[in-house]
Amino acid sequence: MAAPRSRADDELRPRLKREHALELLRQMLRIRRLEEKCAELYSAAKIRGFLHLYIGEEAVAAGAMQALEADDAIVATYREHGHALVRGIPAEKIMAELYGKQEGCSRGRGGSMHLFDAATRFYGGNAIVGGGLPVAIGLALADKLQRRARVTACFFGEGAVAEGEFHESMNLAALWKLPVLFCCENNLYAMGTALKRSESEIDLCLKATSYEMPAWPVDGMDVAMCEAAARRAALAVRSGEGPCFLEFRTYRFRAHSMYDPQLYRTKAEVEEWKKRDPIETFEARLKEQGLLNDAEVTAIEAAVADEIAKAVEFAEAGTWEPVESLTRFVYSDRTQP
Amino acid sequence: MSAQAKTVRMTYREAMRQAMRDALRRDPRVFLMGEDVGRYGGCFAVSKGLLEEFGPARIRDTPLSESAFVGAGIGAAMGGMRPIVEIMTVNFSLLALDQIVNNAAAILFMSGGQFNVPLVIRMTTGAGRQLAAQHSHSLEGWYAHIPGIKVLAPATLEDARGMLWTALEDPDPVLIFEHGSLYNMEGELAADAGAVDIDKAVLRRSGSDVSLITYGGTLGKTLAAAEELAGAGISAEVVDLRTLRPLDTATILDSVTRTHRAVIVDEGWRSGSIAAEISARIMEGAFYELDAPVARVCTAEAPMPYAKHLEDAALPQAPAIVECVRAMVGNRG
Ligand SMILES: Cc1ncc(C[n+]2csc(CCOP(=O)(O)OP(=O)(O)O)c2C)c(N)n1
């Protein structure tokens, strides 16, 4: 059930500079509108395979990404369009990837679940629940061994905490004091399985603290809170104190993937959470505080719409990788000396 | 080996350790990580002494978390290091299959060529030491099924000494399978032994009547069988595959084209084995050269038993190889 907003939340919430607040809003809108377009294109059969939408959870990626530097690394899951977009992979390269075109960020080899980008150190798009955590540990280990003050942010759903790889990775990260920022996006359901039906202990932070790792829950519907928590955690991680665990409490508004009759939750529950829509509530609050007016919203929306239209245009104009190169990149291309 | 060349007497284990020591000295990006590789000295004592020499940052004992430390090897490789990950035995590597198959083998491809994974994973394989059904299997042929990784099976001191460095220089993941029965094998190794190629099969013995194709732990048995066959007037060629992926098909076909007969000796189970793959390639590439159907000597299709006599019976042995060849060639003795 949706947690009610309390006075305490309002007091805790950091004060945002106007420019920055508008930027957070813009980032969330980019994700929302991109994904709404994706859903449409899926119905039009332009996008195929699995398509996991992040709609409802935008505040987490938009907020958390603010805490990362250009040379930090990200490991994400199959629900990663938002993370990729906010991290800086151009919308057009994401869209081309969803189309399966070779201009896509993974040359059309990965699709929706496997967005990769070396330029922004975006290490996927991992579609094995829990499978990205060990890789994140290793990226952080490389930084530690090479004495670089970088952070590896690892995003995963609460479903992953049931996997052995989660526990192995939490332990190893804490044991070796590795610079990993664990970002657990708790949207309450792993496909159709509610957390309370799959875990004997549903306090996720308790699991993390049992590995001697600082952990705290965050209102994942509030972008400012997400940013503040991630900044605080990233600071600690970057300064060499070891890993941190954040549990972002959020909610997925759409189906798990494109087709899902949602038998596992009530419409009323979804509607209740929609009242806390991270974009609408943030927009309303900014207006209330006099930081935003209707004209500005219109301008942001127009710019985002333009960006997405261009992305679709780019994807449409994209080309198919020749079948002859099907087996390229099974192994590295090597120019023998 | 020429009489004047300077050689050193050592075991396969020592050759492997020498290879790791050499790599650790040559490249600061190299480190070793696995269960009990440090303080314990390595489950099979391969890494003994390395902790003292290189310290705990580079010789890293891990928790019993195969998936996490193999995945950590993948991440570290992508992060600019050259990790050597040791898994105690191939049976335990099954706990890390997700990382090996879904990540190590796939990331370069999935990322459209952006992220390569220069990782080396070493592990013990094979039976013969009465370790029963959870420590004795030969699953390297299974791994050889997977595009995106390379699979090596050093069967000699030279290869134990030389394959690691070449594997570390490879931009992609390489799995090295060390047959447990080889660690104590002793022999002479050139004092200046160094890197060797990892993509060619070699003839360990030349012959004209039949090609015995094998690798790893069964090379010794196959050579013994060839020796016995020579006494019976049958000239057997022995091909050591050395690398199971990519398979050096050219060397296999070339040998079969000369001998016109092939027996594949493989410690894996027969069904769906690397032996089956080799047989298929011979059919595809040298069918009309054959004077007899390709034959296989493989491990009996059962989990490995503990009792010595049963284990011996389950495994490919020299007498079975001899018998198989005699049946194929006809008695000449
Ligand atoms: C190891 C594994 N098991 C099962 C699946 C199938 N699967 C895909 S997503 C999913 C639910 C995961 O839920 P969660 O981690 O909470 O993330 P969310 O989808 O809610 O973002 C499942 C079971 C999978 N991809 N990987």
Side-chain angles (χ1 to χ4, degrees), chain B:
Chain B
M1 198 169 295
S2 74
Q4 61 267 43
K6 253 186 96 183
T7 64
V8 197
R9 191 154 189 86
M10 68 170 79
T11 61
Y12 181 98
R13 170 185 291 108
E14 284 159 353
M16 198 43 116
R17 183 185 307 141
Q18 201 49 48
M20 286 203 282
R21 181 178 287 126
D22 181 38
L24 285 154
R25 282 184 185 156
R26 277 162 90 150
D27 188 340
R29 298 172 304 171
V30 171
F31 67 99
L32 172 69
M33 146 167 86
E35 291 158 5
D36 283 316
V37 296
R39 272 158 200 82
Y40 187 88
C43 167
F44 294 97
V46 177
S47 55
K48 198 160 170 224
L50 297 182
L51 174 66
E52 291 70 19
E53 190 173 345
F54 297 100
R58 299 185 72 198
I59 307 296
R60 306 183 73 89
D61 281 323
T62 65
L64 301 173
S65 304
E66 286 78 8
S67 205
F69 69 74
V70 169
I74 294 167
M78 290 197 289
M81 302 300 287
R82 288 293 178 275
I84 304 171
V85 171
E86 176 177 309
I87 303 178
M88 283 184 173
T89 81
V90 68
N91 289 79
F92 313 156
S93 78
L94 303 184
L95 282 80
L97 267 184
D98 170 41
Q99 292 302 322
I100 298 171
V101 180
N102 289 322
N103 283 338
I107 284 177
L108 178 70
F109 188 89
M110 275 197 302
S111 69
Q114 291 180 86
F115 295 112
N116 64 303
V117 182
L119 166 70
V120 172
I121 303 176
R122 300 174 35 243
M123 66 186 99
T124 306
T125 187
R129 293 159 296 144
Q130 284 194 264
L131 299 179
Q134 294 182 335
H135 287 71
S136 303
H137 292 143
S138 281
L139 301 177
E140 53 278 359
W142 226 27
Y143 280 105
H145 180 62
I146 301 156
I149 57 180
K150 293 181 181 171
V151 176
L152 314 185
T156 63
L157 294 186
E158 285 79 7
D159 281 350
R161 175 67 182 83
M163 280 183 155
L164 180 72
W165 181 253
T166 315
L168 281 166
E169 286 194 303
D170 200 281
D172 302 314
V174 179
L175 272 55
I176 303 181
F177 290 88
E178 303 162 15
H179 197 285
S181 69
L182 295 177
Y183 285 130
N184 290 329
M185 178 175 79
E186 220 178 305
E188 297 290 328
L189 183 66
D192 60 353
V196 297
D197 76 87
I198 56 168
D199 49 13
K200 289 267 172 295
V202 300
L203 300 187
R204 296 293 181 199
R205 181 185 176 115
S206 298
S208 53
D209 294 328
V210 60
S211 299
L212 305 182
I213 300 160
T214 191
Y215 68 91
T218 43
L219 175 63
K221 293 171 178 178
T222 306
L223 285 168
E227 189 62 31
E228 196 183 327
L229 287 164
I234 298 172
S235 165
E237 179 147 300
V238 177
V239 179
D240 175 4
L241 294 169
R242 301 177 67 242
T243 298
L244 304 188
R245 178 179 273 274
L247 265 181
D248 179 6
T249 313
T251 298
I252 297 169
L253 296 184
D254 182 60
S255 174
V256 173
T257 300
R258 280 182 288 100
T259 64
H260 309 290
R261 295 181 188 85
V263 175
I264 304 152
V265 183
D266 175 10
E267 205 180 294
W269 292 297
R270 177 187 304 259
S271 304
S273 58
I274 191 77
E277 174 62 28
I278 294 163
S279 172
R281 291 197 190 194
I282 294 170
M283 299 308 164
E284 290 161 352
F287 182 77
Y288 296 106
E289 298 293 339
L290 290 174
D291 285 348
V294 173
R296 290 180 282 162
V297 180
C298 299
T299 288
E301 307 250 338
M304 198 56 62
Y306 161 70
K308 175 98 172 74
H309 70 294
L310 291 178
E311 186 185 43
D312 285 347
L315 294 170
Q317 305 290 2
I321 303 167
V322 169
E323 200 180 309
C324 177
V325 173
R326 278 174 174 270
M328 183 182 271
V329 178
N331 283 332
R332 296 191 179 170

Side-chain angles (χ1 to χ4, degrees), chain A residues 105-107 109 114 116-118 123 126 128 131 134-135 138-139 146 148 165 168 172 176 326 329-332 334, chain B residues 60 63 65 67-68 71-72 75-76 78-79 81 98-99 103 108-115 148-149 170-172 245:
Chain A
C105 59
S106 308
R107 298 178 63 93
R109 298 289 187 81
H114 305 299
F116 283 85
D117 183 47
Y123 291 88
N126 196 305
I128 306 297
V135 175
L139 286 163
Q146 291 169 96
R148 292 184 296 231
E165 291 191 314
E168 291 187 10
L172 204 53
W176 288 352
L326 170 67
F329 302 127
V330 173
Y331 298 99
S332 298
R334 288 175 96 178
Chain B
R60 306 183 73 89
S65 304
S67 205
M78 290 197 289
M81 302 300 287
D98 170 41
Q99 292 302 322
N103 283 338
L108 178 70
F109 188 89
M110 275 197 302
S111 69
Q114 291 180 86
F115 295 112
I149 57 180
D170 200 281
D172 302 314
R245 178 179 273 274

